[in-house]
Each structure stands twice: as C-alpha cells, then as structure tokens.
Amino acid sequence: MCCSPIGMLVGCVMSAAAILNVLICELISFLFYGMAAFAYRTAKSFQEDGDQTIDNGWSMIAHSFLMIFYYSFAMVDALILVVISVFTTEILAAITWIVTILFFVGDVDKADQWHQYIRRTCHHIRWAFRSPCQDPARSHFCSTKNQSDKNEEHELETVEAQLVISDTSTSAPRAIDDIYEVGLEDVVVK
C-alpha cells in the first residue's frame, strides 16, 4: 500500500500537538509541584530533629496551614497530570488513529503506529518530568500505597532450602520437593 502524504502530514501535526500539549502541561504542573515542595519542606522544618510532634502553638498553626497548601498544590499537580495531560493525549491519539485510517485508506497498521508513537512519546515526556522529584514524591491521589510504603524498598532474595521431616518409622530423613513461598518475617535462622 502506498504512503499517503496527507496521512503523514496529519500524523505529524497531531503528534506535534500532543507533544506540545504535554510539555506545556508538565511545565505548568512543575510550577505547582515547586510551590507544593516549598510548602512541604517549610512545614517539615517546624519539626525538630525528625520528631513528629510540634510543641509551640504558633508553629503548629503554621505547620497546619503549610501542609494544607502542600496538599492543595499537590492535588492541582496531580489533576493536571491525570485530567489534562493524559486525557488530551489519549483524545489526540484516538483522533490521529481515526483520521490516519481514513487517509491511509484503511491501513490499520499505520494508524496503530501513529497512535502508539503519540502515547509512548508523551509518556516518556511525563516520566522525564516526574521521575527526579522525590522529596516530596510526585504522585497522584488515586494511589493505594501511602508514603511510608513507597519509601520502604524490599529486595527479594532467592535461597535454596530443604525441609526435612524426620519420620520415626524410618531411620533416614525424608525431603519434601514442593516449593513454598515465604516472606522474610516467616524465616527463622538459628
């Protein structure tokens, strides 16, 4: 099947529009994240030596207001990500898919390629903006894990173990060949 110049032009224009949309959304979102991070770090400075209690009444009020500002700015940051950036990228990718099928005369493979190109490129842009931000971490509010769960990293280690059961009727121990999954809290080393 021949390559339609109109289909290529539509794909390029829609890709550029989606990429520009994501860049603008992420720059605006990064400003809100900057304000949220400033409020978060300032609020945490009221806590002495990592202590979770604040003794002074005025410090407690200031800490509370700063944390309200933090959560407000973080919510706007997350809404820009979920509602504007992702939603408009998906809409532009779907429009590109439909229009590309029309101009490439039913070539679904070309439409799929443009659709995935737009989604993948925009995802990488969002990842590049959000991955270096760790204190406080940028997240959306739909996450099921809380902040303390994110900070704990568990490394899995595979070890070979043999479960031996002594049978009183035989003199030799008997090994069990089944594989069991256990957590580190279940393992006792003597």
Side-chain angles (χ1 to χ4, degrees):
M1 183 162 283
C2 72
C3 197
S4 169
I6 296 174
M8 291 295 289
L9 180 67
V10 166
C12 288
V13 167
M14 296 300 275
S15 296
I19 291 169
L20 184 64
N21 171 57
V22 169
L23 282 172
I24 290 171
C25 286
E26 286 302 319
L27 287 173
I28 292 170
S29 181
F30 193 73
L31 291 174
F32 280 100
Y33 170 74
M35 292 185 281
F38 176 75
Y40 178 82
R41 290 182 183 152
T42 305
K44 292 300 176 186
S45 70
F46 286 109
Q47 297 174 343
E48 294 132 357
D49 300 325
D51 188 17
Q52 294 298 321
T53 60
I54 300 173
D55 296 330
N56 187 349
W58 291 109
S59 297
M60 192 179 311
I61 292 172
H63 178 269
S64 298
F65 276 114
L66 286 168
M67 289 306 287
I68 289 171
F69 288 136
Y70 161 68
Y71 284 114
S72 300
F73 289 135
M75 185 175 67
V76 171
D77 175 38
L79 288 175
I80 290 173
L81 166 70
V82 174
V83 175
I84 298 173
S85 182
V86 173
F87 190 65
T88 55
T89 297
E90 292 298 326
I91 287 175
L92 289 172
I95 290 171
T96 303
W97 188 83
I98 292 169
V99 173
T100 306
I101 283 182
L102 294 175
F103 285 112
F104 277 113
V105 192
D107 191 0
V108 177
D109 289 335
K110 287 286 185 195
D112 286 343
Q113 288 173 358
W114 277 112
H115 181 260
Q116 287 305 314
Y117 173 76
I118 290 172
R119 294 182 75 220
R120 191 178 316 114
T121 305
C122 293
H123 172 72
H124 287 302
I125 291 170
R126 283 191 292 270
W127 174 82
F129 270 91
R130 292 178 181 271
S131 64
C133 304
Q134 297 301 323
D135 186 30
R138 291 177 89 176
S139 64
H140 53 83
F141 288 96
C142 300
S143 178
T144 57
K145 291 184 176 182
N146 62 16
Q147 191 68 23
S148 64
D149 290 341
K150 290 179 187 175
N151 293 335
E152 295 177 9
E153 292 185 15
H154 298 288
E155 292 186 22
L156 298 178
E157 184 178 336
T158 303
V159 295
E160 282 191 32
Q162 184 178 20
L163 178 62
V164 177
I165 299 176
S166 295
D167 193 309
T168 56
S169 64
T170 63
S171 60
R174 184 173 54 117
I176 296 178
D177 295 328
D178 293 331
I179 297 174
Y180 297 96
E181 252 184 54
V182 295
L184 287 177
E185 65 275 356
D186 299 329
V187 176
V188 177
V189 179
K190 293 184 181 180

